[in-house]
Amino acid sequence: MSGIDRRDFLKLAGAGGAGAGAGFVIRESIKHPVEHLVPYSTPPEEFSPGIATWYNTVCSVCSSGCGISVRTREGRAKKIEGNPAHPVSQGSLCAHGQAGLQVLYNPDRLTGPMARTAGNEDLLPITWEEGTSQLAARLSALRESGQGDSICFLTEGVDGHLAALYERFMAQLGSSRLVHYDFTRPRTLYSAIEKLFGESQLPYYDLGNADYVVSFGADYLSTWISPVQHSLGFGNSRKGVNGVRGRFVQIEPRMSVSGASADEWFAANPGTEGMIALAIANYIVNEGGYQGDDRDAWVLALQPYSPASVSQETGLSSETILRIAESFAGSQSSLAIGGGSAGNHTNGVATLVAVNALNYLVGNLGNEGGLVLNPEPAVGAGASTLQATYTDMIELAEAARNGSIQVLILSGTNPVFNLPDVAGFREAIEQIPLVVSLSSFVDETSSLASLVLPSHTYLESWGDSFPEPGVGFSIGAISQPVVSPLFNTRATGDIILGLAQKSGLSATFPWSDMEEYLKEGWQEIYARGNAGDGTEGFESFWNDVVRAGVWGETVRGSVPVSLSEGVIESIGVASPEFSGSSANYPFILHPYISNTLDDGRGANLPWMQELPDPLTSIVYGSWVELNPQTASDLNLEEGDVVEIESPHGQVTAPVFVYPAIMPNVIGMPIGQGHTDYGRYASGRGTNPIKILSPQLEVETGDLAWAATRVAITPTGRRVEIVKTGGVSRELGREIVQKVSADGANPAAGLSSIPVKVVQS
């Protein structure tokens, strides 16, 4: 389907691969037209039974922005695959993307507008005219009375022209309360990159051309930022770059999917990953050959972080840290990445600054196999500044409680589920006079709405995407409807345009629908490389982009020549802080994003519920992971139901004995525990976010969701955990080769995992 080789995309992001001028990727991707790949704007006049038609569009199940190709027959979507022409997915797709059909055909989708009438608590069907007129009248009244700032629009993290439309809409209403909230957004990584390099975009990590990768907590093959893109890079590195097979090291408290796939996995105390990174940096500047002009400043700043000095606090021996440092400094294309729980402690930003500073010290910035900074997206760059932290959400809740918010419009996001109970967000929303939901499903947050104006799914809507972290150069894609709307719903963009026109804002919103709005916006993108070609040239360009499903400029992002001023002198990682005393709460809770259910948004899809967790094979439930030694000390076995209590609440879950987790840590997947999210999600499992303490990351003010201590109390009950696999023990077969750093056999603790576990 594409004339582009996937390695060409990686080369474009590297130092030697990007040309000086701007060229359009779209021109390459349509060299070989495909007979049935047609834009929705010119659909076939009639369906031919048995003949499949493919439409290229964008997956919106998560924020990665993978390009997809959707197979349709007789007007129904049948299969979703990756779009080979798209540089993020390159023809691949994760399970969440495959499950997009169950978003479209889900039996729990909202099928039309509804409202609660006076004296009736139930939502009853209404017409679109009634619903939009009611909301528009309220918005107009607040705007005309100078109370526009009492209108709040709370949405998931969207980009592109839809994000720009939201900004325009709220500005015209006179409101500054446009809030994007996404629990999985790597806010500490954004802050760390800005602190280091002065850039506000996520970087592109070129795993495919790296030969030695050290990951500090980032589950890049499963849930971190762009797993499909990272998995492709992982595979390319494993095949060998210039004849050298890439090696991967994972450092984290609990083995993730990436840890299980790594050559070496090391267990480190929670929140100390940044100290290990600085100890590696200490070796590089003192013994690893670093000769930069700022070497003396680095030597002074890193003096407290010798491998020996951080060993006891981190849990890794100085010999192990030195061995990793030697390999990192000595490899041709070393790469350090960090995220996950490592970025969600109280010292999260400092930790990720330390991790990414390693890339600077080995000189991989802008090079193949290194860290490449992305240019600003072609559209919607300002949306990143509207992303809310936990502190922002608490302030929003307080504004709702004191009456400063009169109308709340919800779209896609579910903070009642994704915020701890201590935040009191549900109670705050209940104080708002008019809550409106544009979501396609009823979840914990949208269930509080008194007016429901449901949106199409992404497979029925026009839109576009300019994904982060990108691939080192500007890319984008148009999202087109692949089927006609199934129900009496409307595209989110069309709802906003309709509300604007009914609210007296027609002069500033002249577009009839989202497609027209998009086409006008994409004329500016077209002009970047085709100035003066006229309307006829644009129509051809538009149809080509819709067909191919991708647009891009083969121009690299900027390469920093130096670090931000003062960053070396300020570098350092403080010890992590945890809520609760170790005496009363002896264990550190390690919640992690589910490989199958994400942060809970995938729990209403039966395919995702039935997909086994890759490391435990558990389906349809929640569990708490205990190290074998911890389970033995507490006299617990698999299936024993325990109560996990924090200073701010308690939940219950059955025990799963998990060898690859530290004895002072207990793991729990996020994703289950819904009370309102359709038949497949509601009443299943438990939500560990509920009991998190309001510990804050010190620099961003975001929730440090890996910083809660808990206690474990047996309930005396047992359940049978539903799994697709058999036993997770070796049964005498010696599958696992267990060695310590000095070659001696380690004591019992971490075992029964089918990888080579190296203990320090």
Side-chain angles (χ1 to χ4, degrees), residues 231-291:
S231 297
L232 290 165
F234 177 84
N236 287 333
S237 178
R238 286 295 205 195
K239 293 175 184 176
V241 179
N242 298 323
V244 179
R245 179 183 182 273
R247 291 185 59 81
F248 290 77
V249 174
Q250 188 81 6
I251 300 172
E252 57 193 355
R254 176 240 176 220
M255 180 180 281
S256 62
V257 172
S258 302
S261 303
D263 295 279
E264 294 180 303
W265 175 77
F266 297 98
N269 288 324
T272 66
E273 295 90 344
M275 300 176 189
I276 299 170
L278 291 183
I280 296 172
N282 178 290
Y283 172 87
I284 293 172
V285 299
N286 285 292
E287 302 179 55
Y290 179 71
Q291 297 297 327

Side-chain angles (χ1 to χ4, degrees), residues 13-370:
F24 283 86
V25 174
I26 181 63
R27 290 174 176 166
E28 294 297 321
S29 66
I30 61 170
K31 282 182 177 178
H32 307 290
V34 178
E35 181 179 357
H36 299 300
L37 205 59
V38 295
Y40 193 84
S41 55
T42 55
E45 294 183 1
E46 58 183 24
F47 297 114
S48 299
I51 302 297
T53 302
W54 291 85
Y55 295 102
N56 282 332
T57 185
V58 180
C59 179
S60 298
V61 175
C62 77
S63 59
S64 298
C66 292
I68 57 175
S69 297
V70 184
R71 178 177 179 266
T72 67
R73 280 183 56 178
E74 291 80 49
R76 292 181 63 85
K78 298 290 187 178
K79 189 71 172 70
I80 302 177
E81 298 289 356
N83 178 1
H86 199 286
V88 173
S89 54
Q90 300 175 34
S92 298
L93 197 62
C94 72
H96 294 90
Q98 296 277 357
L101 292 177
Q102 294 198 325
V103 177
L104 176 64
Y105 296 121
N106 197 296
D108 296 319
R109 271 189 64 185
L110 294 168
T111 59
M114 296 182 292
R116 301 184 203 275
T117 58
N120 194 332
E121 290 298 315
D122 295 329
L123 285 167
L124 300 176
I126 57 173
T127 66
W128 274 101
E129 177 63 27
E130 291 171 333
T132 54
S133 296
Q134 175 186 339
L135 177 55
R138 184 65 174 142
L139 297 178
S140 296
L142 291 172
R143 177 176 63 88
E144 292 168 1
S145 64
Q147 301 180 67
D149 213 39
S150 66
I151 303 167
C152 178
F153 195 150
L154 180 57
T155 179
E156 61 186 334
V158 299
D159 66 346
H161 281 92
L162 184 59
L165 183 66
Y166 288 171
E167 293 179 38
R168 188 186 190 100
F169 179 61
M170 294 300 285
Q172 291 298 313
L173 290 176
S175 175
S176 62
R177 298 186 189 274
L178 173 57
V179 180
H180 295 253
Y181 180 71
D182 184 344
F183 180 80
T184 62
R185 184 175 175 83
R187 299 174 187 86
T188 49
L189 180 56
Y190 275 94
S191 183
I193 295 301
E194 186 166 13
K195 187 172 182 179
L196 266 175
F197 307 124
E199 296 284 336
S200 60
Q201 310 300 318
L202 288 181
Y204 166 62
Y205 295 102
D206 187 7
L207 272 69
N209 289 311
D211 58 14
Y212 192 80
V213 178
V214 181
S215 169
F216 298 83
D219 192 5
Y220 54 93
L221 297 180
S222 176
T223 58
W224 185 65
I225 301 181
S226 189
V228 172
Q229 182 187 95
H230 296 150
S231 297
L232 290 165
F234 177 84
N236 287 333
S237 178
R238 286 295 205 195
K239 293 175 184 176
V241 179
N242 298 323
V244 179
R245 179 183 182 273
R247 291 185 59 81
F248 290 77
V249 174
Q250 188 81 6
I251 300 172
E252 57 193 355
R254 176 240 176 220
M255 180 180 281
S256 62
V257 172
S258 302
S261 303
D263 295 279
E264 294 180 303
W265 175 77
F266 297 98
N269 288 324
T272 66
E273 295 90 344
M275 300 176 189
I276 299 170
L278 291 183
I280 296 172
N282 178 290
Y283 172 87
I284 293 172
V285 299
N286 285 292
E287 302 179 55
Y290 179 71
Q291 297 297 327
D293 294 339
D294 52 7
R295 181 179 180 278
D296 290 342
W298 278 108
V299 170
L300 181 62
L302 296 171
Q303 187 174 356
Y305 296 96
S306 67
S309 64
V310 305
S311 175
Q312 184 173 359
E313 186 165 1
T314 64
L316 264 66
S317 70
S318 58
E319 293 80 10
T320 297
I321 297 174
L322 280 170
R323 184 164 61 80
I324 298 173
E326 289 171 357
S327 297
F328 192 82
S331 297
Q332 183 176 354
S333 299
S334 300
L335 179 63
I337 60 178
S341 65
N344 286 288
H345 286 279
T346 55
N347 58 7
V349 172
T351 292
L352 298 186
V353 166
V355 170
N356 285 279
L358 291 175
N359 297 309
Y360 171 82
L361 292 173
V362 295
N364 72 19
L365 300 182
N367 296 327
E368 288 191 350

Side-chain angles (χ1 to χ4, degrees), residues 3 29 57 102 110 123 163 191 374 382 409 446 480 504 511 582 606 649 664 683:
S29 66
T57 185
Q102 294 198 325
L110 294 168
L123 285 167
S191 183
N374 283 296
I409 303 174
S446 62
Q480 63 175 319
W511 309 281
S582 58
N664 63 328

Side-chain angles (χ1 to χ4, degrees), residues 365-366 372-373 556-562:
L365 300 182
V372 180
L373 294 182
R556 288 188 303 151
S558 59
V559 179
V561 295
S562 63

Side-chain angles (χ1 to χ4, degrees), residues 396-417:
L396 191 155
E398 183 58 32
R401 279 189 284 267
N402 65 28
S404 298
I405 298 178
Q406 295 297 305
V407 176
L408 173 64
I409 303 174
L410 299 164
S411 180
T413 189
N414 189 11
V416 171
F417 181 83

